[in-house]
Amino acid sequence: MCKQYLTDFHMHTEYSPDSDSSMLNMCNAAVKSGMIEIAITDHVEMTGFYSDGFDKAIALSFEQAGEMQKLFEGRLKIARGIELGEPLHNLEETELLLDSYEFDFVLGALHNLKNEQDFYYYDYSDVDVPEMINKYFTELLEMVEWGRFHSLAHFTYPFRYIPKNLYPADYRIWRDKIDDVLLALAEKDIALEINTSGLRKDIGKTIPDLPIVHRFRELGGERITVGSDAHTQKHVGRNIEDGLLVAKQAGFEYVTVFHKGNPEMIKII
Ligand SMILES: [Zn+2]
Ligand SMILES: [Zn+2]
C-alpha cells in the first residue's frame, strides 16, 4: 500500500514574534510526525509586529531555512517561505521584499483590516460583526486581485476568533463575497490553503471548512495547500491527514507544494 505524502506548508519559528521554537526543533518535529515536505513560513506583517522593518527577522529565517535544507537533506524537504501579512497595507515595501528574496513559497494573509488591530484582539461584544466581515472579504478580494503570493492563508480567519453566537451559523449571507474571492483565486491559479489549526481550537473545523473548499473546486480551483500553522513543535504536522481528507471530500485529487515558486501537484491517496 502506498503511503500518503504528507506536507505541512505553514509553520512558524522563533523568527516570528509569536513563536519561540527553534527551527531545528520544528524540523525535527516534522520528521517525527511523518512529514515528507514542509515550508517554514515566518510572519512578515507589513503593518503589524515589526517596528524596525522586515529585514532582520526574515533575513535570519531565510538564512537558517537554507541551513536546514542541507542538514535535513534526504530526510525532509524544506521550502523557504513566509507568511506575508497585509501586503497591500504597505505595497512598496512588500514589492521590495518579494524582489529581495527568492522564496520557494509565499502565503498571503490578512490578520487585520487597514488601520485596525488583529482579529484576535477584539472585544466582540463591541463590534458590528457583519460589517467587519464585509470589510474583511472586500480587502481580501483586493489582495487576491493583486496576487503576488502562492496560497491564500486561512480564508475566513476572523471566524477563528469571533464568538459563534455573533454571526449566522452558515456563510449564506456572504456567499457572493466568498465566491468573488474564490473565483479570483481560481482565475489567478493561486492555491487555497486548508489550515488545520481550527481543528485544535473552539471552532473545531479546518479554516476554511469543507463547504468553502468544495465551492472553490466548483468554481474551478485547482490548487490546495495544507498547513498546521504550528507555532510550537507539538503542533507540527498536526491534523494534516484530516486536511487532506477535506481536500479529497471537496473533489481535489492533488495537494500542491512549491519550489522556487513553481507548483508541484502531489496525488492524494
Ligand atoms: Zn496567519
Ligand atoms: Zn501562520
Side-chain angles (χ1 to χ4, degrees), residues 10 12 41 43 83 111 154 229 231:
H10 189 159
H12 299 273
T41 55
H43 283 292
E83 179 176 2
H111 301 109
H154 48 57
D229 209 348
H231 288 68

Side-chain angles (χ1 to χ4, degrees), residues 202-267:
D202 284 351
I203 191 167
K205 297 188 283 191
T206 58
I207 305 169
D209 61 1
L210 177 58
I212 288 183
V213 181
H214 185 252
R215 184 69 181 145
F216 181 50
R217 186 70 185 148
E218 274 182 352
L219 293 173
E222 301 270 359
R223 294 180 186 166
I224 283 288
T225 64
V226 181
S228 66
D229 209 348
H231 288 68
T232 63
Q233 58 235 55
K234 72 173 180 190
H235 290 147
V236 176
R238 186 72 76 84
N239 297 113
I240 292 297
E241 296 201 62
D242 299 314
L244 291 171
L245 186 62
V246 167
K248 212 170 174 184
Q249 287 170 337
F252 288 90
E253 290 179 40
Y254 298 89
V255 61
T256 305
V257 293
F258 288 85
H259 311 112
K260 301 244 182 317
N262 299 312
E264 185 191 340
M265 309 290 274
I266 295 188
K267 183 101 178 145

Side-chain angles (χ1 to χ4, degrees), residues 63-132:
E63 187 186 314
Q64 200 173 91
E67 290 164 14
M68 292 296 134
Q69 286 175 329
K70 291 189 200 107
L71 192 63
F72 282 84
E73 208 175 338
R75 290 189 291 151
L76 178 68
K77 286 191 193 171
I78 300 167
R80 297 205 273 190
I82 48 168
E83 179 176 2
L84 177 63
E86 304 79 53
L88 299 192
H89 292 189
N90 193 343
L91 193 52
E92 207 175 309
E93 285 283 290
T94 299
E95 302 277 8
L96 181 63
L97 168 75
L98 295 176
D99 291 339
S100 306
Y101 292 89
E102 196 177 19
F103 293 115
D104 289 301
F105 179 60
V106 177
L107 264 176
L110 186 66
H111 301 109
N112 55 274
L113 299 172
K114 208 157 194 177
N115 304 318
E116 294 275 351
Q117 60 191 339
D118 194 304
F119 292 106
Y120 175 79
Y121 293 109
Y122 284 92
D123 170 4
Y124 282 98
S125 60
D126 262 358
V127 170
D128 181 343
V129 169
E131 171 66 19
M132 171 195 263

Side-chain angles (χ1 to χ4, degrees), residues 3-8 11 25-38 75-76 228 230 232-241:
K3 244 182 120 191
Q4 191 78 272
Y5 189 104
L6 296 173
T7 67
D8 185 347
M11 69 183 67
N25 285 347
M26 296 300 271
C27 291
N28 276 324
V31 173
K32 212 170 150 193
S33 63
M35 298 301 112
I36 297 172
E37 191 153 353
I38 63 166
R75 290 189 291 151
L76 178 68
S228 66
T232 63
Q233 58 235 55
K234 72 173 180 190
H235 290 147
V236 176
R238 186 72 76 84
N239 297 113
I240 292 297
E241 296 201 62

